């Protein structure tokens, strides 16, 4: 895959934040299952070192049907080769 220049800022920190959202009628349990499934898939990527996952209402999320995933990438100088 080729990523166009400018996609990542020059001061790349190796962190990516993702926002998730489900239908407004989703239950907390169903949202948790969806978020966990997403986390499992992200962690399969060899360039993902770790992640944090949050769902529900907090200081950033204003509704139950939204979540965040904070992804820590493997440092460039330790990038895993296929």
């Amino acid at each position: 895959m080729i990523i166009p220049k400018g996609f990542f800022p020059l001061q790349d920190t190796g962190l990516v934040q993702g926002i998730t959202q489900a239908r407004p009628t989703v239950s907390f349990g169903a949202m948790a299952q969806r978020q966990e499934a997403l986390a499992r898939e992200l962690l399969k990527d060899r360039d993902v070192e770790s992640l944090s996952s949050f769902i529900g209402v907090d200081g950033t999320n204003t509704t139950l049907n939204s979540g965040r995933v904070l992804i820590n990438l493997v440092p460039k100088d330790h990038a895993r080769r296929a």
Side-chain angles (χ1 to χ4, degrees), residues 24 28 31 54-68:
F28 184 84
M31 186 66 184
F54 306 90
I55 61 169
V57 178
D58 64 15
T60 302
N61 296 339
T62 58
T63 60
L64 178 65
N65 66 319
S66 61
R68 289 177 290 133

Side-chain angles (χ1 to χ4, degrees), residues 19-55:
I19 306 297
T20 59
Q21 188 172 12
R23 293 179 182 243
T25 56
V26 71
S27 69
F28 184 84
M31 186 66 184
Q33 289 175 341
R34 287 169 170 78
Q35 194 85 347
E36 288 173 11
L38 173 63
R40 280 192 303 275
E41 289 301 313
L42 288 170
L43 289 169
K44 289 179 183 177
D45 189 307
R46 67 174 52 105
D47 292 320
V48 173
E49 186 169 54
S50 63
L51 62 80
S52 299
S53 174
F54 306 90
I55 61 169

